[in-house]
Amino acid sequence: MHYLLFYDYAADYLERRGALRGEHLALAWAAQERGELVLAGVLADPIDAAVFFFQADSAEVVERFVAADPYVREGLVVAWRVRRWDTVVGEGAANPIKAAH
């Protein structure tokens, strides 16, 4: 199954992230190496949020990531939410559906 994790960042996120960025990125790359995290990054102009694309058996995988993330622990993330994403189009779609001809 696919899941999207949305982060909303604190107003001073850019000023505060430096000290925590290495730990945050190490956590993300470890999840990627386990095959859980497919893509992740900040939303730009303005940088006030981020989106993470997970592939996992359950949302618990995503929730464990959030619980371990220093950005959440230290208040750089002011809100987060996980949504199951029912993908239907594309090579990596979890539930591919093709149009009838």
Side-chain angles (χ1 to χ4, degrees):
M1 287 187 276
H2 292 156
Y3 295 90
L4 293 177
L5 169 62
F6 298 91
Y7 275 178
D8 295 327
Y9 288 135
D12 61 350
Y13 161 77
L14 287 174
E15 292 79 18
R16 296 175 48 212
R17 76 174 177 181
L20 303 169
R21 196 170 196 199
E23 183 183 352
H24 168 77
L25 290 173
L27 178 72
W29 280 106
Q32 190 275 328
E33 290 169 6
R34 290 190 301 274
E36 300 165 351
L37 183 57
V38 179
L39 290 169
V42 299
L43 298 177
D45 299 325
I47 296 176
D48 61 354
V51 179
F52 302 74
F53 167 28
F54 283 85
Q55 182 171 300
D57 292 332
S58 75
E60 290 178 20
V61 170
V62 183
E63 292 165 358
R64 281 195 302 269
F65 177 88
V66 171
D69 193 345
Y71 285 6
V72 175
R73 182 181 67 235
E74 298 298 326
L76 276 70
V77 173
V78 296
W80 61 272
R81 61 204 166 283
V82 178
R83 297 285 307 269
R84 192 177 81 203
W85 188 24
D86 292 333
T87 53
V88 297
V89 176
E91 186 176 319
N95 302 297
I97 299 173
K98 300 223 178 190
H101 295 287

